[in-house]
């Protein structure tokens, strides 16, 4: 057995963020590397967080009239090529199956990089009249992309778990309403459950989803000041319904092409939780998504074993009856100190120590993972105190992340300042942009920062704002950042 020190993180977050994150993912038991480049194995602890995210979001989707379905992972080449922009955008990262057993296939099959093409091929057969609309289906599956850029666990992998929603509507307005509805659900999930504040807005033409009319996105800032796209919702217009011939007989008895949306988020949300809330002791999980909210540690000598173990069971029952996810660490082969480190590494929000003295005095000692503060309470205050502490931690994590986001969002009025902020401070830069691809590309090439979003919550077009690159007026205020 290794000592507590050895199981902990050996790299500090503020010194080498990337290595710290890599150790955090591996040592906390979230995930392990797969056997091929960029592949990742999700371990039970990581998967239970994914289940927690999935259950929450799945309920939102069902409450708003969506249903789940299943799609095959292989897509014939001809189908993937049907929408030209879409194919061009994904072509370089598609894995192809070219052989079945010992026979070469007459047509290559793509392992889905995303499922628009196969889903819409089917939708065209399911839809014939306005009575068949809206069609709102979600798929919980995985997608495969041969990553050319450096891979990163949970953030950029050759296969990842996600959900992809696909909807079909009678009008562009209906599709836009769906785009907004879904973005709102993502925002609720990410802000209220993951305690991660986001900025919301539209992608630029160059950054939007290939094949979409527009892409709305939620962006957040990781602990190293790099942005991460958290979830996207695309208005596809009729860009896919035309090549895939998704037509319906309208209320006016004329045949029309349908309007569509697609949207998704992935297990990168777990990576974001780790990067934003984690510290040098390990993960810090927001209580709402923590698979274990309270860990109970029996502390005893041989003589007190029976008494202490019995009492931990009473504590567990009290918590479970209040719907708190709690667990007793009954591993006798580890010391209490080893267990403290282990649960800190795994980010369990609260720890309760139960020893013979506590039982005698009818007290309990509680430790908060986020602040590492210790609180002694009366045994009869247990449930009430735990509930209020879990709420408090959830709120405190959000507030702390929000302060980080605000203090790392900096305005730049000229390109020299822009370059200085990017190289010295990082984070989001709010700056003017004239709308031209040329300036966007120049800025990206010279600084590595791209337009994350054109925020919807800013007063967009302003007569007096100059483009940070060419100084042209009027411009839109946008958020730039270097991103994952
Ligand atoms: Zn410009």
């Amino acid at each position: 057995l290794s000592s507590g020190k050895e199981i902990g993180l050996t790299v500090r977050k503020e010194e080498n963020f990337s290595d710290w994150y890599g150790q955090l993912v591996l040592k906390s038991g979230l995930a392990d590397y797969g056997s091929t480049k960029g592949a990742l194995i999700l371990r039970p602890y990581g998967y239970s967080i994914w289940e927690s995210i999935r259950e929450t979001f799945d309920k939102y989707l069902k409450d708003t009239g969506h249903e789940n379905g299943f799609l095959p992972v292989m897509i014939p080449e001809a189908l993937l090529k049907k929408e030209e922009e879409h194919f061009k955008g994904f072509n370089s990262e598609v894995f192809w199956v070219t052989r079945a057993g010992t026979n070469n296939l007459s047509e290559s099959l793509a392992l889905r990089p995303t499922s628009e093409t196969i889903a819409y091929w089917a939708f065209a057969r399911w839809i014939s009249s306005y009575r068949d609309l809206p069609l709102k289906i979600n798929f919980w599956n995985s997608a495969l992309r041969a990553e050319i850029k450096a891979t990163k666990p949970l953030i950029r992998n050759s296969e990842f778990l996600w959900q992809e929603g696909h909807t079909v509507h009678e009008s562009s307005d209906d599709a836009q309403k769906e785009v907004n509805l879904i973005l709102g659900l993502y925002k609720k999930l990410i802000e209220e459950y993951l305690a991660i504040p986001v900025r919301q807005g539209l992608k630029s033409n160059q950054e939007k989803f290939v094949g979409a009319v527009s892409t709305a996105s939620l962006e957040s800032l990781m602990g190293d000041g790099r942005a991460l796209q958290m979830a996207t919702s695309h208005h596809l217009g009729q860009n896919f319904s035309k090549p895939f011939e998704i037509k319906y007989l309208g209320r006016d008895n004329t045949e029309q092409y349908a309007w569509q949306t697609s949207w998704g988020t992935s297990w990168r949300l777990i990576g974001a939780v780790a990067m934003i809330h984690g510290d040098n002791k390990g993960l810090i999980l927001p209580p709402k998504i923590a698979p274990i909210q309270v860990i109970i540690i029996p502390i005893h000598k041989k003589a007190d074993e029976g008494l202490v173990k019995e009492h931990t069971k009473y504590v567990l029952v009290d918590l479970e009856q209040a719907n708190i996810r709690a667990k007793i660490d009954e591993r006798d082969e580890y010391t209490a100190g080893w267990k403290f480190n282990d649960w800190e590494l795994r980010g369990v929000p609260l720890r309760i120590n139960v020893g013979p003295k506590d039982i005698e005095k009818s007290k309990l000692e509680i430790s908060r993972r986020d602040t590492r503060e210790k609180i002694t309470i009366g045994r009869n205050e247990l449930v009430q105190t735990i509930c209020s502490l879990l709420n408090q931690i959830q709120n405190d994590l959000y507030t702390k992340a929000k302060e980080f986001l605000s203090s790392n969002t900096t305005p730049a009025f000229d390109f020299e300042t822009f370059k200085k902020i990017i190289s010295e401070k990082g984070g989001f830069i709010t700056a003017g942009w004239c709308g031209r691809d040329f300036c966007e590309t120049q800025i990206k090439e010279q600084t590595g920062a791209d337009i994350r979003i054109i925020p919807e919550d800013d007063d967009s077009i302003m007569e007096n704002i100059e483009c940070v690159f060419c100084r042209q007026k009027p411009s839109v205020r946008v958020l730039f950042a270097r991103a994952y």
Side-chain angles (χ1 to χ4, degrees):
L1 296 182
S2 52
S3 75
K5 258 191 185 152
E6 284 162 345
I7 65 163
L9 306 177
T10 58
V11 183
R12 296 182 70 77
K13 187 178 185 180
E14 58 279 13
E15 281 163 12
N16 187 333
F17 190 86
S18 179
D19 287 355
W20 165 82
Y21 174 71
Q23 280 200 359
L24 181 61
V25 169
L26 292 181
K27 292 190 170 186
S28 64
L30 289 180
D32 199 356
Y33 293 113
S35 58
T36 56
K37 185 181 181 289
L40 194 73
I41 295 167
L42 206 55
R43 296 179 65 181
Y45 195 55
Y47 199 82
S48 63
I49 299 173
W50 179 241
E51 284 176 317
S52 191
I53 290 171
R54 196 175 67 187
E55 276 161 27
T56 306
F57 195 64
D58 202 64
K59 179 154 194 330
Y60 293 173
L61 290 181
K62 287 186 177 143
D63 288 348
T64 49
H66 301 82
E67 295 175 301
N68 287 328
F70 172 81
L71 291 166
V73 71
M74 289 192 277
I75 305 173
E77 185 169 10
L79 263 192
L80 198 66
K81 280 183 168 161
K82 256 189 162 172
E83 206 291 322
E84 204 181 336
E85 286 297 307
H86 185 72
F87 181 72
K88 267 198 287 181
F90 278 107
N91 191 20
S92 67
E93 25 183 317
V94 173
F95 287 110
W96 292 101
V97 176
T98 58
R99 210 173 68 206
T102 53
N103 301 321
N104 289 327
L105 296 174
S106 58
E107 182 180 16
S108 296
L109 303 172
L111 297 179
R112 69 168 156 251
T114 177
S115 300
E116 276 75 7
T117 54
I118 187 99
Y120 305 165
W121 173 78
F123 288 1
R125 292 197 305 278
W126 301 349
I127 293 165
S128 55
S129 146
Y130 69 89
R131 293 179 200 91
D132 302 320
L133 301 176
L135 182 72
K136 308 208 285 184
I137 309 185
N138 176 65
F139 303 92
W140 291 100
N141 58 24
S142 70
L144 292 100
R145 294 178 194 171
E147 290 293 351
I148 306 150
K149 285 198 212 171
T151 62
K152 194 167 210 61
L154 295 167
I155 301 299
R156 200 172 279 283
N157 291 104
S158 55
E159 182 175 9
F160 52 91
L161 284 176
W162 74 340
Q163 59 67 222
E164 47 176 324
H166 297 276
T167 69
V168 190
H169 305 267
E170 280 183 67
S171 69
S172 179
D173 269 5
D174 287 353
Q176 188 57 53
K177 277 181 195 145
E178 173 75 10
V179 165
N180 299 344
L181 166 77
I182 294 296
L183 207 69
L185 298 182
Y186 284 138
K187 190 171 160 126
K188 190 168 143 85
L189 169 77
I190 295 167
E191 295 200 325
E192 291 180 17
Y193 275 75
L194 311 185
I196 298 175
V198 290
R199 295 295 306 267
Q200 169 179 342
L202 288 177
K203 288 286 183 186
S204 69
N205 246 347
Q206 293 197 68
E207 298 290 333
K208 73 183 182 192
F209 179 67
V210 280
V213 171
S214 64
T215 289
S217 176
L218 299 178
E219 303 274 327
S220 194
L221 214 52
M222 302 301 104
D224 60 348
R226 276 181 187 259
L228 184 70
Q229 179 178 296
M230 306 289 283
T232 48
S233 184
H234 317 294
H235 193 313
L236 302 178
Q238 296 174 316
N239 291 355
F240 286 85
S241 67
K242 286 181 176 166
F244 284 88
E245 299 200 33
I246 305 177
K247 289 186 277 193
Y248 70 96
L249 198 62
R251 290 165 200 270
D252 59 357
N253 239 9
T254 64
E255 195 164 64
Q256 298 171 31
Y257 286 107
W259 300 84
Q260 294 184 267
T261 80
S262 70
W263 27 272
T265 190
S266 76
W267 71 14
R268 66 167 39 188
L269 294 181
I270 304 173
V273 165
M275 284 203 255
I276 291 178
H277 302 307
D279 66 12
N280 289 322
K281 292 278 178 189
L283 291 173
I284 296 177
L285 296 179
K288 282 189 183 173
I289 57 140
I292 302 167
Q293 296 171 311
V294 181
I295 187 71
I296 305 160
I297 315 259
I299 300 172
H300 56 79
K301 299 213 168 69
K302 201 72 204 160
D304 309 311
E305 187 175 348
L307 171 77
V308 170
K309 284 196 169 169
E310 193 187 1
H311 199 80
T312 56
K313 292 207 170 69
Y314 297 144
V315 171
L316 180 70
V317 168
D318 283 357
L319 294 175
E320 281 179 344
Q321 280 176 351
N323 289 321
I324 295 162
R325 296 186 291 275
K327 184 186 155 96
I328 305 171
D329 188 342
E330 287 177 313
R331 298 175 292 179
D332 288 330
E333 63 277 24
Y334 292 103
T335 64
W338 192 95
K339 290 178 183 177
F340 293 171
N341 288 330
D342 190 37
W343 294 110
E344 278 190 339
L345 187 56
R346 288 165 176 263
V348 173
L350 291 171
R351 183 181 81 216
I352 302 179
N353 297 342
V354 179
K357 286 224 172 83
D358 303 311
I359 299 169
E360 192 187 303
K361 291 184 195 154
S362 213
K363 302 257 177 215
L364 288 171
E365 192 192 81
I366 302 172
S367 299
R368 270 178 76 152
R369 172 61 185 94
D370 60 333
T371 57
R372 309 192 73 222
E373 182 187 353
K374 288 189 173 63
I375 308 139
T376 302
I377 61 159
R379 175 66 180 83
N380 56 354
E381 305 166 291
L382 173 68
V383 168
Q384 183 198 340
T385 311
I386 294 289
C387 286
S388 97
L389 280 172
L390 291 173
N391 272 329
Q392 188 70 47
I393 294 170
Q394 185 79 32
N395 294 337
D396 287 357
L397 289 177
Y398 180 79
T399 304
K400 195 177 166 196
K402 182 111 186 161
E403 279 162 7
F404 180 82
L405 180 69
S406 309
S407 62
N408 285 284
T409 303
T410 318
F413 300 99
D414 59 80
F415 197 50
E416 284 313 303
T417 316
F418 188 104
K419 285 192 278 193
K420 197 164 181 285
I421 298 166
I422 279 294
S423 65
E424 288 171 13
K425 185 180 175 189
F428 282 130
I429 296 183
T430 131
W433 171 54
C434 61
R436 291 188 301 152
D437 291 354
F438 174 78
C439 293
E440 185 182 6
T441 306
Q442 282 299 313
I443 293 169
K444 186 168 183 173
E445 279 174 6
Q446 294 187 33
T447 66
D450 55 22
I451 297 176
R452 301 314 300 165
I453 43 162
I454 305 157
E456 287 170 347
D457 46 0
D458 262 3
D459 14 29
S460 307
I461 297 177
M462 293 199 168
E463 294 298 324
N464 295 323
I465 295 179
E466 293 179 343
C467 174
V468 75
F469 191 77
C470 72
R471 322 294 304 243
Q472 190 177 293
K473 284 197 266 188
S475 285
V476 219
R477 200 194 295 279
V478 301
L479 278 187
F480 289 90
R482 283 182 180 157
Y484 279 106

